[in-house]
Amino acid sequence: MKGSFPIEKFNTVRTPFYYYDTELLRKTLDTIKAETGKNDNYHVHYAVKANANRKLLRIISAAGFGADCVSGGEIKACLDAGFPAEKIVFAGVGKSDWEINVGLDAGIAYFNVESIPELEVINQLAGEKDKIARVSFRINPDVGAHTHANITTGLAENKFGIAMADMEKVIEIAASLKHVEFVGLHFHIGSQIRQMEVFENFCLKVNTIKQWFADQGIEIQYLNLGGGLGVDYDHPDAEPIPDFASYFDTIHRTLRPDPHQQILFELGRSLVAQCGELITRVLYTKKNALGRDVALVDAGMTDLIRPALYQAHHTIECLTSQGTECSYMIGGPVCESSDIFDQAAMLPQLKRGDLLTIRTAGAYGSAMASRYNLRDLPRSIYSDEL
């Protein structure tokens, strides 16, 4: 089943471009608020790396969500979009001094720290400003996320986080530093997770780690569980809003927080993926040397790199032609063999000028776009502005 698009208005816009259904985004945010509203200790921070589009940030901020940032630029964008500083958390495995200073000057909620050297630098920079930096330790729980290797972050071999075996030393050092205050723990095991048992196993591991801190007499104010909830790339119309009910119910049933502890979530993909589409136009059709049908479009890996980077699948639909479907290789104009959106997309017979939509492109699409080959960055079009 195809989605609903204002095709007649698309014909007046230069392709390629991202189309955002702002009504679907608002419905998604309302669904999350309804589920988290069942527990006063649950707080959702939007993972800005998924999509830092200014208008989307303003919609998410106006809905009362916090922000999870991984760069100084993201912090600035969120402040500009109306996120209160006290609802901004700064994560990221390698924070530059200037980025840390941006967070300190803004008075953000806290920093997610990933190493002892980082902790010491934050203490030094906070001291130079005569401030106390609130910090949370990112622990690598060594939990498999059952997802693509490039988006797994919670295994022992990954670059992220602090090993639990080093935690006693980290706590000791933190206690000796005058300009940091330990407030919580941070975890993130990966992205595009669709199996609830992964989150169950994760929460059980968090329970064990949390108990270790309790046994040491160390108080934890915040438990940040990261994000990772996936979306349905294969059937975007079957589940336009992800199954937040099952996700939060799994956390509620499995996690064992203390009554005073605040539970934070860093959801990104599941907020914005389904509301975004990449609209592109067929430039040429041909057969390759093997006799396969090829459609060359004006969007490329510079506009949406996920298929080239992760071998990710996005459903592709034709908006302007109908009829019996056949298999097409859908390729872009970038001078790279990997500039392929789909090796075998089932589409009606295509012709020059046909409009295609690459579905579920709202997360890690425009955010990862580049100007390779000196291509223009794709513009953004919004449903409530057409």
Side-chain angles (χ1 to χ4, degrees):
M1 181 176 67
K2 294 183 179 180
S4 177
F5 301 94
I7 301 171
E8 69 286 350
K9 295 182 179 179
F10 284 176
N11 281 318
T12 65
V13 182
R14 175 183 165 184
T15 51
F17 61 87
Y18 276 94
Y19 171 69
Y20 293 107
D21 184 340
T22 54
E23 180 182 2
L24 178 57
L25 173 59
R26 290 187 170 94
K27 288 180 178 178
T28 302
L29 298 176
D30 287 343
T31 301
I32 296 172
K33 290 168 68 174
E35 293 298 329
T36 56
K38 301 173 184 178
N39 191 319
D40 292 339
N41 292 349
Y42 283 10
H43 311 278
V44 174
H45 286 62
Y46 169 58
V48 180
K49 64 180 179 290
N51 193 322
N53 177 284
R54 179 183 175 89
K55 177 160 182 168
L56 303 191
L57 288 180
R58 288 190 174 277
I59 292 173
I60 296 169
S61 169
F65 288 69
D68 163 61
C69 299
V70 294
S71 73
E74 287 187 359
I75 294 175
K76 290 180 177 180
C78 286
L79 292 170
D80 184 59
F83 287 91
E86 61 271 18
K87 285 189 175 183
I88 296 176
V89 175
F90 188 10
V93 68
K95 305 176 184 70
S96 299
D97 289 14
W98 76 266
E99 294 176 306
I100 295 171
N101 281 325
V102 167
L104 290 170
D105 291 341
I108 63 171
Y110 60 82
F111 298 81
N112 288 331
V113 172
E114 304 217 10
S115 69
I116 292 174
E118 179 190 335
L119 178 67
E120 293 172 336
V121 168
I122 291 175
N123 178 72
Q124 175 190 337
L125 296 176
E128 292 172 0
K129 298 176 180 292
D130 195 26
K131 292 187 175 185
I132 303 295
R134 289 152 58 90
V135 299
S136 178
F137 297 144
R138 177 171 180 174
I139 296 178
N140 187 322
D142 195 21
V143 173
H146 298 272
T147 188
H148 192 283
N150 287 4
I151 50 177
T152 294
T153 60
L155 293 174
E157 66 261 28
N158 294 139
K159 68 179 180 179
F160 301 96
I162 302 169
M164 190 59 200
D166 298 328
M167 193 50 58
E168 191 168 349
K169 179 181 179 182
V170 175
I171 292 294
E172 181 181 343
I173 291 174
S176 70
L177 301 177
K178 297 181 179 179
H179 293 279
V180 295
E181 176 190 359
F182 169 69
V183 297
L185 302 178
H186 173 230
F187 308 88
H188 183 64
I189 60 173
S191 188
Q192 186 50 20
I193 302 169
R194 300 270 289 161
Q195 300 85 13
M196 291 302 116
E197 60 267 25
V198 173
F199 293 114
E200 289 181 1
N201 294 334
F202 167 53
C203 287
L204 293 174
K205 193 68 172 285
V206 172
N207 290 340
T208 300
I209 293 172
K210 183 183 73 68
Q211 187 58 49
W212 182 90
F213 280 84
D215 292 343
Q216 313 304 310
I218 301 171
E219 182 176 343
I220 298 171
Q221 183 178 351
Y222 297 102
L223 282 176
N224 187 329
L225 302 185
L229 180 64
V231 300
D232 192 341
Y233 284 98
D234 296 325
H235 307 97
D237 292 311
E239 193 180 77
I241 297 177
D243 189 3
F244 294 110
S246 293
Y247 172 70
F248 287 112
D249 180 65
T250 298
I251 303 298
H252 179 71
R253 288 187 294 99
T254 316
L255 189 69
R256 295 290 177 263
D258 296 335
H260 69 281
Q261 288 172 339
Q262 304 301 301
I263 313 303
L264 273 62
F265 302 88
E266 299 168 353
L267 300 177
R269 183 193 313 269
S270 56
L271 268 70
V272 296
Q274 299 285 38
C275 77
E277 321 279 337
L278 178 59
I279 309 299
T280 183
R281 195 178 298 275
V282 175
L283 297 173
Y284 309 103
T285 61
K286 67 175 187 178
K287 289 186 182 292
N288 68 7
L290 296 178
R292 295 184 58 195
D293 287 307
V294 178
L296 298 171
V297 299
D298 58 6
M301 61 188 290
T302 52
D303 307 298
L304 178 63
I305 199 173
R306 294 188 71 253
L309 184 62
Y310 302 138
Q311 299 77 53
H313 173 260
H314 289 260
T315 296
I316 301 177
E317 298 172 354
C318 182
L319 301 179
T320 49
S321 289
Q322 299 179 359
T324 303
E325 294 185 339
C326 59
S327 175
Y328 279 91
M329 176 191 294
I330 306 297
V334 178
C335 291
E336 297 287 343
S337 297
S338 56
D339 187 28
I340 301 294
F341 289 116
D342 200 318
Q343 291 284 355
M346 296 303 296
L347 295 164
Q349 185 171 355
L350 298 177
K351 62 184 184 299
R352 175 175 167 81
D354 272 334
L355 284 175
L356 305 183
T357 177
I358 303 178
R359 305 290 305 274
T360 321
Y364 306 104
S366 62
M368 300 177 76
S370 76
R371 294 208 61 209
Y372 181 48
N373 286 185
L374 285 185
R375 287 173 50 79
D376 289 339
L377 291 173
R379 63 183 298 188
S380 297
I381 304 295
Y382 309 94
S383 60
D384 59 358
E385 294 181 4
L386 287 175

